[in-house]
Amino acid sequence: HFGFRLICVEGPSTYSRLPASPQQPMAMEPAAKKARTHDVAQLHSFVYKEPKIIAEIGCNHRGELETAKELLTLAKASGATVGKFQKRTPKELLTPDQYNAPHPAPHNSYGSTYGEHREFLELSVEDHRELQAHCKEIGLEYSCSVWDTTSAKEIVALNPVLIKVGSPTNQHWEMQEVLRDQYSGEVHISTGMTTKEEMEKIVEFWEAGKGDAKNRVVLYNCTSGYPVPFEDVCLLEIRLLQQKYAHRVKCIGFSGHHLGISIDVAAYALGCEWIERHFTKDRTWKGTDHAASLEPGGLGRLIRDLQATYTAMSYKSSEILDLEKETRAKLKWGEYNRSILDKGSS
């Protein structure tokens, strides 16, 4: 018969649950499949908070303010916590060569050059102010990712509850200095296409801020691809972020660019309090982000499943729960036939 053993390999920070047989030696599980944690006992003290979901609309509004408002309304109806956009100053962010180059995927372009494409999709500061007002009206938090210093200053002036730093700009220190020193809300930072050394620089930068700056940071596990195949999601990196940074930032989040909704539930079960998914009304619309986005039905199902998982994340309050007692009396060997067994043993 087979049981399970907990095997520690090469130090206390790595463990793997493997089938054991009295007749066969232990087989080592591939390294990529080993879950890593500083101390298994810490899993018992981890407190699961209610999941918070960001509907990342980004530029899926196609440059249309009314479409942006509609997407916010749909995100709210789906159960999202936050509706988020993106803000760029293309001529500040891009080099002249990048600005004047053709879009790398011409069928997704809204202009003859990449710069024109980006300008077409930009909403003005006043547009963002109107979107923020719409969020307040429908009971949804407004947020925005910023890509450059000018955009950071513009969105800071709106003072949303949180501002996002995407993976491409998590080494943009001038921009992050604005967020750290001129803004008091949360700053959520993705770590896609980012080395371990670069991650450490991010956290050290926020630790160097005045007051409680580092405790305004939510650090996101992320893989930068659109969409990301499952083998490249690398969920166990969440454990590494927790091990190294959970005590140095506010909490850990997950930003997914994969297909489906099962991965996000697993990320939450691994301890991510914030879940971000790209959001659109129609995945067939023109644009690079739509294919990796959830439509309203998908987002609603994800939020339903995350809430169910949150409800399930507990230990038993007693060895036999109340709902088990009747079933135990009917089905448990030694309970339903106790009198017969007692007679047989006498």
Side-chain angles (χ1 to χ4, degrees):
H1 63 279
F2 289 83
F4 282 95
R5 296 181 188 173
L6 193 63
I7 300 298
C8 291
V9 185
E10 297 179 355
S13 66
T14 305
Y15 71 89
S16 180
R17 187 168 173 154
L18 305 174
S21 167
Q23 290 79 29
Q24 296 177 347
M26 275 287 183
M28 294 301 295
E29 192 176 3
K33 294 295 184 184
K34 295 175 186 174
R36 296 183 233 175
T37 184
H38 178 65
D39 183 352
V40 176
Q42 288 183 354
L43 300 179
H44 292 272
S45 61
F46 186 87
V47 177
Y48 282 90
K49 296 182 180 179
E50 188 167 4
K52 302 178 183 68
I53 297 88
I54 296 177
E56 159 63 328
I57 296 167
C59 297
N60 284 347
H61 49 69
R62 306 183 296 181
E64 300 165 353
L65 180 60
E66 291 307 311
T67 300
K69 288 182 180 179
E70 181 184 12
L71 286 167
L72 287 172
T73 302
L74 291 170
K76 172 62 179 178
S78 299
T81 313
V82 175
K84 187 171 74 65
F85 297 94
Q86 296 180 12
K87 190 79 180 74
R88 294 171 174 84
T89 310
K91 287 186 176 178
E92 177 181 333
L93 177 66
L94 303 172
T95 67
D97 286 346
Q98 288 176 316
Y99 192 96
N100 294 314
H103 192 290
H107 60 284
N108 281 321
S109 183
Y110 285 92
S112 60
T113 68
Y114 185 67
E116 288 182 7
H117 165 78
R118 291 261 55 104
E119 299 282 9
F120 182 91
L121 292 174
E122 277 304 308
L123 298 175
S124 69
V125 176
E126 286 308 310
D127 288 337
H128 280 271
R129 197 182 304 278
E130 195 168 332
L131 293 172
Q132 187 178 37
H134 182 67
C135 283
K136 186 174 182 180
E137 182 180 329
I138 64 175
L140 182 70
E141 290 291 350
Y142 160 89
S143 183
C144 191
S145 293
V146 295
W147 286 67
D148 52 75
T149 304
T150 297
S151 296
K153 291 178 179 178
E154 290 172 339
I155 299 302
V156 163
L158 299 179
N159 196 31
V161 67
L162 69 91
I163 294 175
K164 183 83 188 293
V165 175
S167 301
T169 53
N170 65 24
Q171 302 294 292
H172 192 326
W173 307 119
E174 181 185 73
M175 181 191 77
Q176 287 191 64
E177 188 173 15
V178 172
L179 303 179
R180 187 188 67 182
D181 299 345
Q182 300 177 31
Y183 171 67
S184 59
E186 291 184 6
V187 177
H188 294 210
I189 305 174
S190 280
T191 61
M193 53 184 174
T194 303
T195 67
K196 298 296 189 290
E197 181 181 358
E198 289 170 340
M199 289 183 199
E200 181 63 24
K201 286 180 180 178
I202 294 167
V203 176
E204 288 179 354
F205 174 84
W206 284 86
E207 288 176 328
K210 295 180 180 179
D212 205 30
K214 66 184 179 66
N215 289 319
R216 295 192 285 119
V217 172
V218 178
L219 205 60
Y220 282 69
N221 170 247
C222 178
T223 298
S224 297
Y226 304 88
V228 175
F230 294 131
E231 62 268 23
D232 290 330
V233 173
C234 303
L235 279 178
L236 294 183
E237 291 290 320
I238 293 168
R239 285 288 186 228
L240 303 184
L241 287 179
Q242 289 171 326
Q243 180 179 333
K244 190 164 186 179
Y245 298 118
H247 60 292
R248 297 171 63 186
V249 299
K250 184 169 185 176
C251 64
I252 304 300
F254 174 71
S255 180
H257 302 139
H258 52 280
L259 301 178
I261 59 176
S262 58
I263 298 299
D264 308 278
V265 175
Y268 174 72
L270 284 168
C272 289
E273 183 177 337
W274 284 89
I275 304 293
E276 178 186 44
R277 289 299 304 271
H278 283 259
F279 181 65
T280 186
K281 183 180 179 181
D282 186 340
R283 295 178 66 246
T284 67
W285 280 355
K286 183 170 77 172
T288 54
D289 288 351
H290 295 286
S293 299
L294 293 176
E295 294 176 347
L299 183 63
R301 287 188 290 274
L302 169 59
I303 294 169
R304 174 203 64 194
D305 291 352
L306 285 170
Q307 288 294 335
T309 306
Y310 168 64
T311 302
M313 283 297 180
S314 64
Y315 294 97
K316 285 190 171 184
S317 57
S318 59
E319 287 189 329
I320 307 298
L321 295 175
D322 288 344
L323 67 82
E324 293 181 302
K325 290 177 181 177
E326 183 179 350
T327 307
R328 176 182 170 90
K330 289 191 297 184
L331 300 179
K332 186 78 170 182
W333 179 268
E335 291 294 325
Y336 69 87
N337 57 351
R338 179 184 297 277
S339 60
I340 296 174
L341 293 175
D342 288 347
K343 286 180 182 179
S345 62
S346 61

